[in-house]
Amino acid sequence: MSSHDGKTNASRSYTAQLHRAIGALLPHQGLRLLPLDDKERWTPRYLVITAVLMACLGGDLLVDRFATARRALVRMYLTRRRPGK
């Protein structure tokens, strides 16, 4: 391990690459990332990214795919408010 948070450089690098790739594919307007109020946890952009990740990431059960996609989303947007479970 190369970091104090338990994540390897490869894991962080893959998450950053995935974030850039998805960002390049999604439109720059129309899918807002920022919530409209303090109660909103799932923005339109979060929902689309999670759906893409669920389609791509492994897992036999839908609940497993969602959990994996949500973890990846949180890693992509460390400075943003975390989406609900």
Side-chain angles (χ1 to χ4, degrees):
M1 300 286 180
S2 59
S3 143
H4 66 283
D5 64 0
K7 302 263 189 296
T8 64
N9 281 338
S11 176
R12 281 192 306 271
S13 175
Y14 176 73
T15 301
Q17 290 173 15
L18 189 59
H19 183 230
R20 282 192 301 272
I22 290 173
L25 295 172
L26 294 180
H28 295 288
Q29 294 181 351
L31 289 175
R32 66 182 163 73
L33 178 62
L34 300 176
L36 294 176
D37 59 40
D38 290 339
K39 293 183 179 183
E40 185 179 25
R41 294 276 186 175
W42 286 97
T43 63
R45 194 167 197 89
Y46 273 4
L47 291 171
V48 170
I49 292 170
T50 302
V52 169
L53 292 173
M54 286 177 69
C56 298
L57 298 175
D60 292 334
L61 300 175
L62 189 58
V63 68
D64 296 335
R65 286 179 179 258
F66 174 76
T68 303
R70 184 185 174 280
R71 278 192 305 272
L73 182 71
V74 168
R75 284 193 306 265
M76 286 182 200
Y77 294 98
L78 290 173
T79 61
R80 304 279 185 205
R81 187 173 189 169
R82 290 179 180 222
K85 294 181 180 186

